[in-house]
Amino acid sequence: MISARLADRAGAWVAADPDPVTRAEIRSLLEAASGPGTAGALAASELEARFAGQLTFGTAGLRAEMGGGPMRMNRLVVRRTAAGLARFVGSGSGIVIGFDARHRSSTFALDSARVLAAAGCTVHLFDRPVPTPVLAFSIAQLGTDAGVMCTASHNPMRDNGYKVYLGDGAQIIPPIDQEIAAAIAAIDELGGVRLADPDDLAIHRVGDGVIDAYIEHATVARPSRGRGPVIVYTPLHGVGRAVAHEVLVRSGFTDIHDVAAQAAPDPDFPTVPFPNPEEVGALDLAIGEARRVGADVVLANDPDADRLGVALPVSADRPDPRGTGWRVLSGNEIGAVLAEHILRTTSGADRLVVSTFVSSRLLARQAEHHGVHHVEVLTGFKWVVRPGLEHHDLRFVFGYEEALGFSVDARIHDKDGITAARAFAELLSSLDASGECVDDLLEELARRHGHHATRSWSVRFEGHDAGSEMAAVLDRWRSRPVTTLGGREVVATTDLASGGRLPPTDALEIDLVGDARVVLRPSGTEPKVKVYVEVVEPVDDGPLGYRRAQAAAEATIDGLTRSVAAALDLPDP
């Protein structure tokens, strides 16, 4: 049974909900919650969870499972959010709205457009699903004061989200997020907001013109030297294929093969439970296609095309632990080789490169070697692009986060998996012209700076107590810190919640003897805790020095991973 107060609140939600699917969902839960036994108790618990509060609007905007109730993503929540955003930006402002191919994304976008137009804003609404980088680019292209993207990026199929950008083309940061959240809080939970007609003159449909402008901007003519790589491309059932193909082809990379089963947008993501190139197995179909056609590289975007995954053939003289003949690069490996390519092909001491505090420390050493500026920031691309916007005396040339987010273009103030794919193809072409491969470049970097081996893994939490369970993981370390991990002494633990070199964030950084470290933090977009391990091994001058360093680093990381899991009462990954 549920309380009369909850029953009344849920009943009022049903009466106000414009969506027949979520309306029926809550009505069904109300009926079941009044019944006996386990089924009634489960329905009551689900209702209590859905009405336990309201989705928190933060620096990631909104992201949650779709469904009825104020703690889920649905049309009432989106309309209320749009009304709060309208209050924040003010009547007369211009806003561009994009959406991907997820369930309800187009509906959320149209609802937002109608609310914003009724509030006196000029709205530019895309007429088709688009990649998130196109939306970020369109803000400057159209000269709007803000942008909205309806997407949950790489999250599972049941999720959706609502990203907000301001006129600089970057995602919002504090205190703007709190100011927008306050404006949203002033709006009635059950809507009651004014809606413009979908054909209102204040709602301008945009499509080919802006998309073509992005493609033209993202296209870079390939030098004639070196052959272009044979590419297998997958958008993982997302919206990146058409734009990515056009950018690659116009840039001179024409030998592209699609993964047929993943080429068309499909919000059910039938071949990948988690449509994230980081996930183990996500690129298996693409690797199979690459073996079939004899490809040089697999390039993969996530469903909204703001991330890039890469797989490469294993060189004949390199280890092949999986026995597939292919290996998936980590975000840190992609970041290191893209950065090196860009730093070698640009010039000037005013260049700026940026990485997050959970990414490899290798980029800082690369920057020092090339005599350029490096800045370390919090996780999230709203932070990665910020130094380039704030330091007008510096030229932002590259930024990345280890979770496959890369920026190779100072004009686009968000991560962009499409321009990053083009840049990686350029890198391969350049290496081929000099008779080298990516593994050769990684070895060169290791011999110069030490072999930076990294590994990250996540523990996912489910259910109503996911948030508190996530918080408890870091609290266990705070309350009972250990003095050794994997046989290495802990020399310092930095609680980033207290601030310091970075703005306060819920994370722990554990430094170990021998140039190794562990970082713990809860994800800001999914119910999981992430663990990052980095070990730096020097490479001796002998021909097998690099292999020895790789083997030593992997053994150390294996030990550290098991030790961290035991110390935090987490399952062994």
Side-chain angles (χ1 to χ4, degrees):
M1 293 291 292
I2 59 173
S3 67
R5 182 174 178 276
L6 176 54
D8 288 345
R9 190 178 175 203
W13 185 278
V14 168
D17 192 345
D19 189 325
V21 174
T22 49
R23 193 165 61 235
E25 216 175 76
I26 298 298
R27 185 182 290 119
S28 177
L29 285 171
L30 274 170
E31 292 172 358
S34 63
T38 302
L42 288 174
S45 177
E46 179 67 17
L47 268 180
E48 287 166 0
R50 292 187 182 212
F51 287 86
Q54 294 172 341
L55 278 186
T56 302
F57 186 92
T59 52
L62 297 174
R63 194 176 296 186
E65 185 175 346
M66 289 176 282
M71 291 293 289
R72 298 287 187 268
M73 281 296 298
N74 52 66
R75 294 178 69 185
L76 274 181
V77 165
V78 165
R79 287 180 177 185
R80 184 177 188 234
T81 301
L85 178 60
R87 281 196 180 199
F88 175 80
V89 298
S91 178
S93 298
I95 298 181
V96 57
I97 302 174
F99 56 95
D100 65 8
R102 282 179 179 266
H103 291 297
R104 301 184 190 172
S105 285
S106 61
T107 301
F108 292 163
L110 180 57
D111 276 353
S112 297
R114 295 178 65 191
V115 170
L116 288 157
C121 296
T122 299
V123 178
H124 303 267
L125 175 64
F126 273 93
D127 62 6
R128 73 200 72 174
V130 291
T132 290
V134 173
L135 181 280
F137 170 85
S138 72
I139 294 169
Q141 184 70 16
L142 296 171
T144 63
D145 302 291
V148 169
M149 183 68 191
C150 297
T151 179
S153 192
H154 59 285
N155 279 39
M157 62 168 285
R158 63 181 181 268
D159 292 356
N160 215 319
Y162 199 89
K163 291 183 180 179
V164 176
Y165 300 74
L166 290 188
D168 59 7
Q171 291 185 57
I172 56 173
I173 60 171
I176 299 299
D177 57 335
Q178 290 97 334
E179 294 173 15
I180 296 175
I184 295 168
I187 308 297
D188 190 298
E189 176 184 80
L190 299 180
V193 298
R194 290 178 56 234
L195 294 167
D197 186 275
D199 297 321
D200 191 293
L201 293 177
I203 302 177
H204 305 276
R205 301 287 176 159
V206 295
D208 287 342
V210 174
I211 295 169
D212 288 346
Y214 169 87
I215 291 169
E216 183 177 351
H217 175 78
T219 297
V220 174
R222 181 173 68 89
S224 57
R225 62 190 179 90
R227 69 179 179 88
V230 179
I231 297 168
V232 164
Y233 172 78
T234 176
L236 292 179
H237 303 292
V239 298
R241 179 182 177 274
V243 176
H245 264 255
E246 195 68 20
V247 168
L248 287 167
V249 168
R250 289 196 194 182
S251 298
F253 304 105
T254 58
D255 199 345
I256 306 171
H257 303 261
D258 288 318
V259 180
Q262 298 173 335
D266 188 334
D268 293 324
F269 308 118
T271 68
V272 280
F274 298 102
N276 181 351
E278 278 188 298
E279 293 287 337
V280 174
L283 301 187
D284 283 356
L285 283 180
I287 288 171
E289 178 68 11
R291 286 200 301 266
R292 189 184 73 80
V293 302
D296 297 305
V297 65
V298 167
L299 299 177
N301 289 142
D302 65 337
D304 69 330
D306 64 351
R307 296 182 180 214
L308 173 70
V310 176
L312 293 170
V314 176
S315 302
D317 60 337
R318 313 275 172 162
D320 183 11
R322 295 182 65 196
T324 64
W326 283 73
R327 74 182 187 96
V328 178
L329 297 190
S330 71
N332 285 315
E333 288 175 314
I334 300 170
V337 296
L338 277 180
E340 191 67 17
H341 171 66
I342 289 167
L343 291 174
R344 288 179 178 183
T345 54
T346 58
S347 61
D350 61 341
R351 289 172 294 169
L352 169 68
V353 295
V354 181
S355 57
T356 64
F357 77 96
V358 300
S359 300
S360 173
R361 290 171 171 171
L362 176 57
L363 183 60
R365 296 178 182 182
Q366 291 174 266
E368 182 180 10
H369 174 80
H370 287 278
V372 305
H373 300 268
H374 170 259
V375 174
E376 180 187 60
V377 296
L378 296 176
T379 57
F381 247 77
K382 56 187 174 286
W383 298 112
V384 173
V385 301
R386 196 58 48 184
L389 295 172
E390 293 174 348
H391 296 282
H392 302 295
D393 55 329
L394 301 178
R395 281 186 299 125
F396 178 95
V397 295
F398 180 71
Y400 93 101
E401 57 183 356
E402 59 81 40
L404 303 184
F406 308 97
S407 172
V408 299
D409 189 325
R411 164 85 183 272
I412 301 167
H413 299 152
D414 200 2
K415 58 182 175 287
D416 184 349
I418 294 172
T419 54
R422 184 217 69 220
F424 203 91
E426 291 171 0
L427 163 66
L428 292 178
S429 185
S430 176
L431 288 172
D432 181 71
S434 57
E436 296 177 288
C437 66
V438 168
D439 281 329
D440 294 329
L441 180 54
L442 287 168
E443 180 170 348
E444 179 184 336
L445 292 173
R447 290 187 178 278
R448 183 190 304 152
H449 304 295
H451 174 53
H452 288 62
T454 62
R455 187 182 301 171
S456 63
W457 48 283
S458 302
V459 180
R460 187 175 292 272
F461 295 86
E462 304 289 348
H464 310 322
D465 297 327
S468 58
E469 291 175 4
M470 288 165 60
V473 172
L474 271 68
D475 288 342
R476 280 198 286 275
W477 182 279
R478 290 180 173 116
S479 62
R480 58 180 203 219
V482 300
T483 56
T484 60
L485 285 174
R488 295 197 179 204
E489 181 184 354
V490 175
V491 296
T493 296
T494 305
D495 192 340
L496 295 173
S498 304
R501 74 178 195 278
L502 295 168
T505 189
D506 188 18
L508 294 170
E509 190 174 54
I510 303 150
D511 288 298
L512 308 167
V513 164
D515 209 358
R517 65 169 181 153
V518 174
V519 179
L520 312 171
R521 76 171 187 93
S523 170
T525 57
E526 295 180 84
K528 61 186 184 182
V529 169
K530 302 192 77 172
V531 183
Y532 310 82
V533 181
E534 181 170 27
V535 173
V536 183
E537 286 286 342
V539 180
D540 63 51
D541 292 333
L544 297 179
Y546 181 47
R547 305 293 178 274
R548 285 193 286 267
Q550 286 179 304
E554 286 303 306
T556 299
I557 286 180
D558 285 342
L560 284 173
T561 297
R562 291 191 296 270
S563 186
V564 169
L568 296 173
D569 299 330
L570 297 175
D572 199 357

